[in-house]
Amino acid sequence: MAHRELLHRHRSVLPKWLALYYEEPIEIASAHGRRVTDREGRTYLDFFGGILTNSIGYDVAEISDAVRAQIDTGVLHSSTLYLIESQVELAEKIAQRSGIPDAKVFFTNSGTEANETALMLATQYRRSGQVLALRNSYHGRAFATVAITGIRGWSASELSPIRVSWVHGGYRYRSPFKDLSDADYVKACVADLREVIETGTAGDVACMIVEPIQGVGGFASPPDGLFREFKKVLDEYGILLVSDEVQTGWGRTGEHFWGIQAHDVVPDAMTFAKGLGNGLAIGGVVARAELMDCLRANSISTFGGNPISTAGALATLNYLLDHDLQANAAKLGNRLIHGLRAVAATHPVVGDVRGKGLMLALELVGPAGEPHPAAATALLEEARRRGLLVGKGGLHGNVIRLAPPMTLTEDEADEALVILAEAIEAVSA
Ligand SMILES: Cc1ncc(COP(=O)(O)O)c(C=O)c1O
């Protein structure tokens, strides 16, 4: 079997900590729309989109044409030493849509690098190495970003150039404040933030970084308005607010273009990656000019904002806006969450259904409400057996993540609901 042979070669030469999904891992060999076909010819509806990265789906002519046109110029790369029109145009569009006044943009190749850049800017601007982060967060895999990642299973190193203090708020389902009303939950988290600043820091903290919906953390989302209340406290100390929009950007949450907008607050900087390139390697930071320009030394990313990635990203962004995919995410997200809640009502293995737009999660629990990671692993397999790819996550590995391309259709949403209902039934048995 093609997959078995490839798995053997993979295991021999790639790191053992590079996890693969499924007891019998697959290679996605071709794809179109929201469907992918594996190397052995089996087709699946894709509800994880390469970890929320194939934001528009596969084989989109507008994006392929834009990339091909750039390839046809003969220039795959020139470097940031020269002008790149698609890079400038993309930066203009992102700056204008950011809502950040007088915004500037720096492009990277990944979300990790985007967050490393945001941390570099904030720590230089504030001349402080202290950072506030949320428990249950994930921000990347380099030394500073792994340090602000609040999930033990993703904390691959304890080495860090920054000093981090942890704040409550992102993951409500298992929070000590979980039984409070929305308003009281916000109050409790704000009081915690104030206490952490007063007791765990020297006061002159550089920034707080938050994911509006915690991605790897299992699409955990605090009540709307929490980050506005946080910002009021941060402003008292001059602490900057950075929103990590790597998963929540580009309208995926349905109600807003950026996840942080649900909190009615404008951050000092936002980081982005994943969905912008629909699979091409691109990330970046958008920040107030004063913050972006504060570095005193040169700094470049050789590949960041290269002509291929920026041409493809521009085509992706234009497609997303021209087809109002944010509205589609809102509409189909609504359809999905109602369907999922109906199934959850009769299946106690689903302890929580949460998320927004096309960023939805099921937290699977045992009889006493304890995390049930084995059920999540089983559900992943049951869904795949029925032709649906979904993701996994959460602090305890017991959360199923659903994040299809934003071009999803009603029929596909209904097809996924049927499969998920059967898969949930199978793991409940
Ligand atoms: C919210 C968030 N930030 C940052 C990252 C890191 O991005 P990358 O894997 O592109 O380095 C991720 C990746 O999953 C993410 O979900």
Side-chain angles (χ1 to χ4, degrees):
M1 294 274 270
H3 284 148
R4 206 159 295 159
E5 157 69 12
L6 190 57
L7 176 62
H8 176 72
R9 288 169 56 200
H10 183 286
R11 292 228 162 108
S12 306
V13 75
L14 292 167
K16 75 168 192 273
W17 39 262
L18 195 60
L20 289 161
Y21 272 173
Y22 306 117
E23 224 173 279
E24 292 179 2
I26 57 172
E27 180 188 12
I28 292 175
S30 64
H32 180 78
R34 274 72 51 203
R35 297 201 193 259
V36 300
T37 301
D38 74 16
R39 206 203 243 242
E40 284 162 18
R42 181 115 206 242
T43 295
Y44 308 88
L45 183 57
D46 185 3
F47 258 52
F48 206 34
I51 323 181
L52 291 87
T53 300
N54 296 305
S55 51
I56 290 182
Y58 299 86
D59 196 21
V60 180
E62 287 85 341
I63 299 171
S64 304
D65 289 347
V67 170
R68 212 172 285 120
Q70 182 59 41
I71 292 172
D72 288 346
T73 65
V75 182
L76 300 186
H77 175 75
S78 62
S79 91
T80 46
L81 298 174
Y82 307 102
L83 294 166
I84 300 172
E85 187 175 4
S86 53
Q87 183 189 79
V88 175
E89 192 180 334
L90 185 63
E92 287 167 347
K93 280 211 151 103
I94 292 171
Q96 185 254 324
R97 289 222 138 238
S98 70
I100 296 175
D102 192 21
K104 286 192 167 186
V105 180
F106 177 74
F107 289 110
T108 65
N109 305 290
S110 67
T112 296
E113 291 171 72
N115 284 327
E116 291 280 333
T117 306
L119 293 174
M120 184 191 282
L121 294 174
T123 52
Q124 283 300 315
Y125 184 82
R126 294 272 296 151
R127 308 299 292 169
S128 161
Q130 302 172 83
V131 171
L132 299 166
L134 290 179
R135 294 157 189 226
N136 199 48
S137 59
Y138 181 84
H139 295 288
R141 61 175 306 280
F143 284 122
T145 42
V146 87
I148 52 168
T149 285
I151 298 178
R152 177 167 313 158
W154 290 99
S155 296
S157 170
E158 38 110 29
L159 296 178
S160 170
I162 54 173
R163 192 169 143 201
V164 186
S165 301
W166 299 98
V167 178
H168 280 292
Y171 180 33
R172 187 175 185 175
Y173 187 65
R174 294 186 189 279
S175 156
F177 310 137
K178 66 178 182 300
D179 296 324
L180 301 178
S181 67
D182 280 7
D184 287 343
Y185 180 86
V186 169
K187 264 192 214 150
C189 294
V190 167
D192 170 64
L193 168 64
R194 203 179 277 286
E195 192 178 87
V196 166
I197 294 171
E198 292 292 336
T199 62
T201 77
D204 54 343
V205 175
C207 68
M208 174 177 217
I209 184 161
V210 301
E211 292 162 271
I213 296 177
Q214 296 183 319
V216 174
F219 293 174
S221 24
D224 289 353
L226 174 71
F227 297 128
R228 181 185 55 238
E229 297 308 309
F230 273 5
K231 177 95 166 65
K232 288 181 190 162
V233 176
L234 300 178
D235 284 348
E236 288 174 30
Y237 296 87
I239 301 169
L240 305 172
L241 176 64
V242 178
S243 181
D244 178 338
E245 299 280 349
V246 167
Q247 296 210 10
T248 46
W250 323 115
R252 174 165 289 280
T253 64
E255 52 183 32
H256 295 100
F257 195 72
W258 307 103
I260 195 75
Q261 289 172 325
H263 298 263
D264 195 18
V265 67
V266 179
D268 297 283
M270 291 191 288
T271 57
F272 54 83
K274 290 199 188 287
L276 173 60
N278 201 44
L280 292 155
I282 188 163
V285 185
V286 53
R288 287 193 281 117
E290 181 198 9
L291 174 57
M292 184 65 85
D293 289 336
C294 78
L295 299 188
R296 297 173 192 176
N298 292 317
S299 194
I300 69 161
S301 166
T302 297
F303 294 117
N306 68 73
I308 297 278
S309 293
T310 48
L314 253 185
T316 305
L317 191 51
N318 288 338
Y319 189 101
L320 215 141
L321 296 170
D322 292 348
H323 294 79
D324 198 3
L325 295 187
Q326 182 183 322
N328 195 50
K331 190 174 101 189
L332 294 184
N334 206 27
R335 193 178 182 94
L336 282 168
I337 204 163
H338 279 100
L340 293 170
R341 285 198 175 129
V343 180
T346 52
H347 292 84
V349 71
V350 183
D352 194 27
V353 179
R354 58 179 177 247
K356 286 181 176 176
L358 292 177
M359 200 172 171
L360 301 173
L362 307 170
E363 175 147 358
L364 304 184
V365 299
E370 73 279 13
H372 196 345
T377 304
L379 206 154
L380 212 73
E381 296 284 356
E382 294 292 343
R384 181 210 155 178
R385 195 166 302 139
R386 292 167 173 82
L388 180 72
L389 302 185
V390 299
K392 216 166 59 149
L395 181 61
H396 308 283
N398 64 324
V399 179
I400 292 295
R401 294 195 282 164
L402 309 171
M406 290 161 64
T407 42
L408 188 74
T409 66
E410 274 183 15
D411 285 350
E412 289 163 347
D414 292 347
E415 182 183 334
L417 280 174
V418 170
I419 294 176
L420 285 166
E422 286 177 15
I424 291 167
E425 180 69 33
V427 304
S428 299

